[in-house]
Amino acid sequence: MIKIPQGRDKTLDQLPAVAEQFTASGRVLDLREYGNGNVNDTFLVTVAGAAKPHFILQRLNLRVFRRPELVMGNLVTVSEQVCRRLGRAPLGADRRFEVPRVLLTREGRDHVIDPGGGFWRAISFIEAAETFDTIKDAGHGREVGYALGRFHTLLSDLPPDRLADTLPGFHVTPGYLAHYDEVLERQGARRAPEVNYGLAFVAERRALASVLEDARAQGRLRPRPMHGDPKVNNVMLDTATGQAVSMVDLDTVKPGLVHYDIGDSLRSGCNPRGEETGDWEAVRFEPELCRAMLQGYLSLARDFLTETDYAYLYDAIRLLTFELGLRFFTDYLAGNVYFKARHPEHNLARALVQFKLTERVESQAAVIRAIIRDLK
Ligand code: GN1
Ligand code: MG
């Protein structure tokens, strides 16, 4: 008998039955929570007697992904594109790279709806690989950068309009700011010192919010396929060699700016304490990790970045860090309706980490710009 993880959550009662539908034999040996996503619920399933012993089962958060069928369509488009490109130009014997594939049920469907309306889908598991929440050293940083560069390169000839817009407004910072204003108006201000710090922090940076959207509107930056959520723990590294072998969590793949990805990847990777640290005042942005990650990224992406693209890289790092802080802060003020929170102040704590990180980016602007210039 399979033990259901998180026994208190009644909505997970269907989990074993759902998992079985994605197996040929129906024999699920083990089911366990996997990773620590802030939006979907993710499980690792172990199957008896199958050629592939594991797969990933996920319940999509339908408050965030309102058109799950479009998410599934994008997943198929991306994995087919990656297979086609790697089939045409294999990476060579010393590298593997793959992305998760959509798995079907015994009836040939790409998802299962449980009696409570939950939307479940399965994807392949990348074997013999692991993820980390933070970057250990420069070598790891280069591999994380390489993974994003590889991902962008593999999608570089996919017309962005082949991907559905599954999350309208995702990474459009002025939209998050407008939402923040609405929430504040509804909730009124609060008095805790951390909240006041956040309010002042946002107030001082309102003008920054539109830097990438303005460039996009002026035609200086153009939409391309993007990952959308390239944080450190979405890069899988080979357990034996430490080489990056996959970018996972493809639900946010859609047309966007590669700057969103580059900024998000660096804000995640250059924060050695990680985004969940409780010690927000000690958060720092590590320029040497920034150099390593960009080296890895540019070893592949140098060719498709334009002069103008380079000109906005620093802004992207600063903006995406600020944006995530703003998103967490707004969600805290709104009562934790978007990001899963383990306690009522969790999203406030996460926001403070990103705000502090933004300050560290700003105070090291000259150093970061010099690194970008060196590596160009
Ligand atoms: C969310 O669910 P997860 O952890 O993969 C969020 C990202 C944030 C990230 C911060 C769809 O990703 O944008 O950067 O949390 N995903 C969505 O940890 O909003
Ligand atoms: Mg994600």
Side-chain angles (χ1 to χ4, degrees):
M1 197 43 211
I2 298 293
K3 240 180 66 229
I4 300 168
Q6 272 195 347
R8 286 155 292 127
D9 185 347
K10 276 289 181 209
T11 69
L12 290 178
D13 286 355
Q14 299 298 318
L15 182 53
V18 171
E20 279 171 11
Q21 299 192 51
F22 288 98
T23 67
S25 66
R27 291 201 40 226
V28 172
L29 287 181
D30 189 45
L31 261 175
R32 60 186 59 200
E33 269 187 272
Y34 187 78
N36 36 20
N38 293 330
V39 172
N40 297 326
D41 300 306
T42 304
F43 302 89
L44 177 65
V45 186
T46 310
V47 191
K52 307 254 166 152
H54 300 110
F55 67 87
I56 293 287
L57 183 62
Q58 287 181 302
R59 178 169 60 177
L60 287 196
N61 182 331
L62 298 180
R63 273 183 296 119
V64 173
F65 298 105
R66 288 166 189 270
R67 307 270 318 264
E69 74 285 2
L70 297 184
V71 173
M72 298 308 292
N74 281 355
L75 249 58
V76 171
T77 304
V78 168
S79 61
E80 283 176 355
Q81 162 80 12
V82 167
C83 282
R84 189 165 52 239
R85 282 286 298 269
L86 290 175
R88 225 164 53 205
L91 295 186
D94 60 337
R95 274 276 176 190
R96 62 172 168 134
F97 196 85
E98 58 187 307
V99 296
R101 278 172 305 103
V102 171
L103 304 179
L104 302 180
T105 65
R106 277 179 232 156
E107 283 81 37
R109 283 197 294 267
D110 68 4
H111 68 274
V112 167
I113 307 276
D114 72 29
F119 184 103
W120 294 88
R121 63 92 196 275
I123 52 175
S124 57
F125 180 66
I126 314 293
E127 298 284 349
E130 57 193 335
T131 63
F132 300 90
D133 289 332
T134 53
I135 292 187
K136 304 186 291 257
D137 53 33
H140 183 189
R142 265 189 297 277
E143 287 301 318
V144 171
Y146 170 95
L148 186 63
R150 177 59 69 200
F151 188 80
H152 282 170
T153 308
L154 289 169
L155 297 192
S156 61
D157 63 341
L158 180 72
D161 59 7
R162 290 275 314 283
L163 295 167
D165 187 354
T166 46
L167 279 174
F170 192 54
H171 290 316
V172 177
T173 316
Y176 293 117
L177 198 56
H179 178 51
Y180 165 80
D181 289 340
E182 275 167 34
V183 168
L184 261 192
E185 197 157 302
R186 254 191 347 251
Q187 310 284 325
R190 317 211 185 154
R191 308 252 171 249
E194 289 87 354
V195 175
N196 285 333
Y197 166 83
L199 295 172
F201 194 90
V202 176
E204 284 159 19
R205 285 166 185 78
R206 298 185 70 93
L208 164 70
S210 63
V211 58
L212 292 182
E213 297 319 305
D214 288 348
R216 184 175 178 160
Q218 292 155 7
R220 293 167 63 75
L221 301 178
R222 62 180 174 85
R224 303 194 238 211
M226 66 150 181
H227 181 284
D229 186 11
K231 60 180 173 181
V232 173
N233 62 17
N234 281 333
V235 174
M236 297 203 76
L237 305 174
D238 185 286
T239 350
T241 65
Q243 287 186 332
V245 293
S246 184
M247 290 272 341
V248 298
D249 193 2
L250 306 181
D251 295 322
T252 50
V253 171
K254 59 170 226 149
L257 299 178
V258 290
H259 290 71
Y260 301 155
D261 278 353
I262 300 168
D264 193 66
S265 168
L266 290 165
R267 69 104 200 128
S268 165
C270 303
N271 164 12
R273 287 185 183 254
E275 60 188 66
E276 292 291 332
T277 176
D279 192 2
W280 62 279
E281 280 166 304
V283 166
R284 53 180 220 279
F285 183 92
E286 184 48 67
E288 283 317 305
L289 290 179
C290 176
R291 180 188 298 278
M293 290 178 73
L294 278 174
Q295 264 166 356
Y297 180 74
L298 293 173
S299 70
L300 292 159
R302 185 169 282 112
D303 289 348
F304 66 74
L305 293 188
T306 64
E307 263 315 299
T308 319
D309 285 332
Y310 280 104
Y312 283 94
L313 288 189
Y314 168 75
D315 298 303
I317 303 169
R318 181 182 179 207
L319 181 66
L320 271 284
T321 312
F322 172 67
E323 179 194 275
L324 185 59
L326 176 66
R327 293 173 64 201
F328 282 141
F329 190 46
T330 306
D331 202 37
Y332 164 73
L333 295 171
N336 307 316
V337 292
Y338 185 98
F339 295 104
K340 289 193 243 170
R342 281 193 299 279
H343 57 87
E345 315 281 300
H346 195 170
N347 282 315
L348 175 60
R350 288 165 167 159
L352 296 171
V353 170
Q354 298 303 317
F355 288 160
K356 186 52 78 179
L357 191 62
T358 308
E359 277 180 16
R360 299 288 187 233
V361 169
E362 291 167 348
S363 66
Q364 298 177 99
V367 179
I368 299 169
R369 285 187 191 279
I371 291 171
I372 295 167
R373 219 173 26 242
D374 283 357
L375 294 177
K376 209 167 99 178

